[in-house]
Amino acid sequence: MQTSQSSIPGDVAEEGDSPATVLLCGPHGESWGPIWDQRDPESVNVLAITTHLDPLEWIDACEQQLGTLPMKTGAIRLGTPIDPLTTDHPSHEGADLPLTAVERPSDLDELYTAINLYITEWLHTDQQTLIWLESLTPVIEHVGAKRTIAFVESLAERLRMTGTVAYARLDPRDHDEHTRSMIRSAFDRVVEIEADGPAVAADSREELVLRALRAEGRLSADALAGRVAANENARHPDGYDPANARLIEIDLYHASLPKLADAGFVNVEWDERIVELAVEPERIDGLLERRNGGAR
């Protein structure tokens, strides 16, 4: 991952001119993890505003990535109602996880009210509140750039009063240059995130996915998650956890696979949940060789 600024999203709160709003401009698969850079999950409360992910799926993926949930975790589902089978205040490993739905992305007053309720509820805690908006695109598509800007600027006033920081993702492929320029101007800070190929760390899930597809060529998401889970659990001191494969599948489907697909390394049939290698196997060998500094 490359950024156009020396500052990364995770350290902006450490600077003297701490921003209230940060725009993460980059491909979908590159843009939600950076809010955790240099942050201890136990030192923050996090409100996720999801546009594609079900709130509980996001919470599962969040816990999977961090190893633990933040002190307070809430979610607002923007654009569609929450599944009626999901309770309003589910228990998730003992954490309080209130969920809210704002069914119309055009109803910015309702969205502002829902956000403010969480901010106000968490003011009594010692943790800083972070807000993560999965995508600004639904809002822009429903109300246009000017109303989106007015909403961001209005929300920023409340954020500054409470020491809250909001991160919002904008995939530049979704909007023309004029719209991108207008939206960028509304934020205190803009961080450009450019993908020049997937960042494949040793023993990462991306590596395990690529190795499995290097061998098989094509696998279902369920089978792929099983391969990754088996590999990870083989190294786990407590042995195999039967729930792990399902959590890994959620993480793969909403994080690793979009990242690899955006980089052109895999093709994903999202409806059928089938994944196949999109490049010659030799490219995978070369990628992993570069990751290891030329030593395989």
Side-chain angles (χ1 to χ4, degrees):
M1 179 177 66
Q2 299 176 335
T3 64
S4 65
Q5 304 181 10
S6 59
S7 298
I8 56 176
D11 67 2
V12 293
E14 308 298 328
E15 301 178 2
D17 57 341
S18 301
T21 57
V22 180
L23 182 66
L24 304 179
C25 253
H28 177 78
E30 293 287 336
S31 304
W32 83 274
I35 71 169
W36 301 114
D37 292 347
Q38 302 182 8
R39 291 191 187 274
D40 176 2
E42 296 185 357
S43 71
V44 296
N45 305 316
V46 175
L47 170 62
I49 305 171
T50 66
T51 56
H52 297 91
L53 286 176
D54 176 84
L56 286 180
E57 288 184 334
W58 180 84
I59 289 164
D60 281 337
C62 177
E63 185 175 34
Q64 185 71 30
Q65 177 178 356
L66 300 176
T68 183
L69 285 173
M71 292 300 293
K72 296 284 186 179
T73 309
I76 298 172
R77 180 73 164 97
L78 180 62
T80 58
I82 292 174
D83 189 324
L85 297 178
T86 300
T87 59
D88 290 336
H89 294 79
S91 175
H92 189 283
E93 299 297 325
D96 179 32
L97 303 168
L99 307 181
T100 305
V102 175
E103 297 186 19
R104 294 178 299 166
S106 60
D107 195 340
L108 299 184
D109 289 338
E110 184 180 357
L111 179 58
Y112 182 94
T113 298
I115 293 171
N116 191 46
L117 284 174
Y118 287 99
I119 294 174
T120 302
E121 177 69 21
W122 292 342
L123 275 178
H124 71 281
T125 69
D126 294 329
Q127 288 72 34
Q128 182 185 33
T129 293
L130 305 181
I131 299 171
W132 177 73
L133 174 55
E134 183 185 1
S135 176
L136 267 178
T137 295
V139 176
I140 297 170
E141 288 179 342
H142 281 81
V143 304
K146 290 184 178 179
R147 286 190 60 196
T148 300
I149 290 170
F151 171 76
V152 171
E153 292 175 344
S154 176
L155 179 62
E157 294 182 12
R158 177 59 174 158
L159 301 181
R160 293 187 183 98
M161 291 173 58
T162 58
T164 302
V165 180
Y167 298 86
R169 184 185 67 81
L170 183 73
D171 191 326
R173 298 169 299 182
D174 294 338
H175 308 281
D176 60 45
E177 183 176 353
H178 179 65
T179 299
R180 295 197 304 269
S181 178
M182 291 179 65
I183 296 299
R184 289 164 58 94
S185 70
F187 284 80
D188 295 336
R189 182 159 300 168
V190 177
V191 177
E192 301 285 349
I193 302 175
E194 301 174 359
D196 58 356
V200 180
D203 297 326
S204 68
R205 286 182 179 164
E206 285 80 15
E207 178 188 0
L208 297 177
V209 166
L210 291 175
R211 287 193 182 281
L213 293 175
R214 170 69 174 83
E216 299 293 337
R218 178 182 174 93
L219 289 168
S220 69
D222 179 69
L224 193 55
R227 298 285 185 94
V228 174
N231 193 297
E232 290 187 359
N233 285 309
R235 302 190 301 271
H236 196 283
D238 296 329
Y240 178 72
D241 176 0
N244 203 26
R246 173 56 181 155
L247 293 178
I248 287 175
E249 183 176 356
I250 291 171
D251 183 61
L252 292 181
Y253 207 70
H254 296 293
S256 298
L257 292 181
K259 179 178 180 178
L260 293 171
D262 285 346
F265 280 83
V266 303
N267 290 324
V268 184
E269 298 174 18
W270 299 105
D271 291 338
E272 301 298 325
R273 303 180 78 86
I274 299 295
V275 188
E276 65 179 357
L277 198 63
V279 298
E280 293 297 322
E282 290 74 18
R283 280 200 64 190
I284 304 303
D285 297 337
L287 175 68
L288 298 179
E289 182 177 5
R290 289 194 302 274
R291 185 215 65 200
N292 289 322
R296 293 185 58 195

